[in-house]
Amino acid sequence: MSKLLAVWGPTGAPGRTTVAINVASELAELGQSVLLIDADSYGGAIAPALGLIDDAAGFAAACRLAESGTLTAGDIENLSHSVSMSAGMLNVLSGITRTDRWPELTAERVKNVLACAAEAYDAIVVDVGFNLETDEEITSDLFAPRRNAATLTVLKHADCIVEVASADALGIARFIRAHDVLVDLYPQSLRLIVVNKVRTGLDPRGSSHAAETLSRFAGLHEVYELPLDEKALNASYASGKPLSMSAHTSKLRKKFAGIAQVLQPQRNVA
Ligand SMILES: Nc1ncnc2c1ncn2[C@@H]1O[C@H](COP(=O)(O)OP(=O)(O)OP(=O)(O)O)[C@@H](O)[C@H]1O
Ligand SMILES: [Mg+2]
């Protein structure tokens, strides 16, 4: 089976999209066939970050086909953008560009798209929204669309949740609160914790401070740190390429390559 990786983090733009794009591209560089899905129902960001001209919202289109029960792996391939890597290919299902299209991403449809993709790809990396609220409290209609259905469905089925925290004080505080909610919802999930935007040079308390806070207050003792590196990401945005192709030698890129090694799905050897 494919490995489904959900990339989640609290509100405050900790770097979910950046992590999703670069984990997916590093897996592709390792020779995996990878599908990157933008399932953030608060607005798609992957297509613009990769310089893809996109009006189609491939993920929403796949969801529509899934509803009618006709979705095939070939459809997913056709609806996705192909991004060439140095050593492989990354397929991208882009997200909704207008946030009011979220009702198209229902739980059942999303589940079916994931199941179909699982047959065709080694790894599926999904950028999900921050919001973990279920809407049951505010609607009595059992069948009403749910604002966060896509996020919650992906998290529920994920083989591993990559949780992204921003290394600043507010980012860590937000992360700890939201992480508790996530654990309540999905206590059994495997998780990998990433602390992003770590300032190493300037901040005397630096990386160890954020990691230490997570260890002491959230019981998270193993975290992966990613440095703040605007230069590398500017190169990525300017070229519309992931870091593996735009800032190959940067420390940030090397950290992503290390995380991909850890997350790399095992292939079944016949
Ligand atoms: N390690 C980093 N170093 C420097 N800048 C970073 C780093 N990671 C992310 N950023 C920047 O932070 C901003 C937010 O990143 P990103 O869009 O990945 O976050 P997000 O969690 O997906 O946000 P959103 O809530 O908008 O979905 C972007 O401008 C991105 O370039
Ligand atoms: Mg995002």
Side-chain angles (χ1 to χ4, degrees):
M1 286 296 289
S2 294
K3 189 157 177 178
L4 177 62
L5 304 169
V7 182
W8 170 86
T11 186
R16 291 182 303 273
T17 301
T18 305
V19 171
I21 289 173
N22 288 290
V23 164
S25 61
E26 294 296 342
L27 288 171
E29 297 287 18
L30 290 171
Q32 306 278 337
S33 65
V34 183
L35 179 67
L36 172 62
I37 300 179
D38 190 338
D40 187 339
S41 56
Y42 292 83
I46 289 179
L50 288 176
L52 303 171
I53 298 168
D54 186 86
D55 297 317
F59 184 47
C63 280
R64 278 197 302 278
L65 288 177
E67 171 85 25
S68 58
T70 59
L71 182 72
T72 64
D75 293 327
I76 292 180
E77 178 100 28
N78 291 338
L79 291 169
S80 61
H81 293 270
S82 298
V83 180
S84 299
M85 302 282 107
S86 312
M89 190 70 95
L90 176 65
N91 277 33
V92 180
L93 274 183
S94 58
I96 50 173
T97 44
R98 287 178 38 172
T99 51
D100 61 359
R101 289 184 65 183
W102 64 263
E104 294 175 39
L105 312 177
T106 67
E108 194 61 22
R109 290 175 174 192
V110 170
K111 191 176 118 191
N112 291 341
V113 173
L114 295 176
C116 185
E119 287 169 22
Y121 295 90
D122 296 325
I124 305 162
V125 179
V126 192
D127 180 4
V128 298
F130 68 91
N131 199 337
L132 300 173
E133 286 163 17
T134 50
D135 304 336
E136 277 74 7
E137 293 81 4
I138 50 175
T139 173
S140 54
D141 181 353
L142 261 184
F143 301 101
R146 308 278 176 203
R147 183 73 175 87
N148 304 313
T151 297
L152 297 170
T153 304
V154 174
L155 289 169
K156 182 177 168 190
H157 292 95
D159 296 306
C160 179
I161 302 176
V162 179
E163 299 183 36
V164 186
S166 183
D168 56 285
L170 178 58
I172 293 295
R174 279 176 165 157
F175 178 85
I176 289 175
R177 270 186 243 126
H179 166 80
D180 283 348
V181 176
L182 185 77
V183 172
D184 281 349
L185 286 171
Y186 311 106
Q188 309 295 339
S189 301
L190 279 180
R191 45 193 93 243
L192 182 141
I193 314 295
V194 172
V195 180
N196 189 24
K197 309 189 196 184
V198 174
R199 292 167 194 270
T200 41
L202 299 173
D203 182 356
R205 294 181 302 179
S207 59
S208 57
H209 185 66
E212 195 185 296
T213 309
L214 286 182
S215 171
R216 188 166 341 146
F217 294 103
L220 299 169
H221 307 302
E222 195 184 339
V223 302
Y224 290 79
E225 296 181 356
L226 296 173
L228 183 84
D229 191 342
E230 283 170 4
K231 192 174 160 218
L233 283 170
N234 283 343
S236 172
Y237 291 133
S239 61
K241 300 278 180 203
L243 293 168
S244 68
M245 298 183 72
S246 54
H248 186 75
T249 56
S250 66
K251 199 171 161 199
L252 182 57
R253 187 266 152 163
K254 287 177 185 161
K255 291 279 182 182
F256 277 119
I259 290 174
Q261 289 283 352
V262 175
L263 291 172
Q264 184 176 194
Q266 301 299 318
R267 283 208 176 114
N268 288 331
V269 181

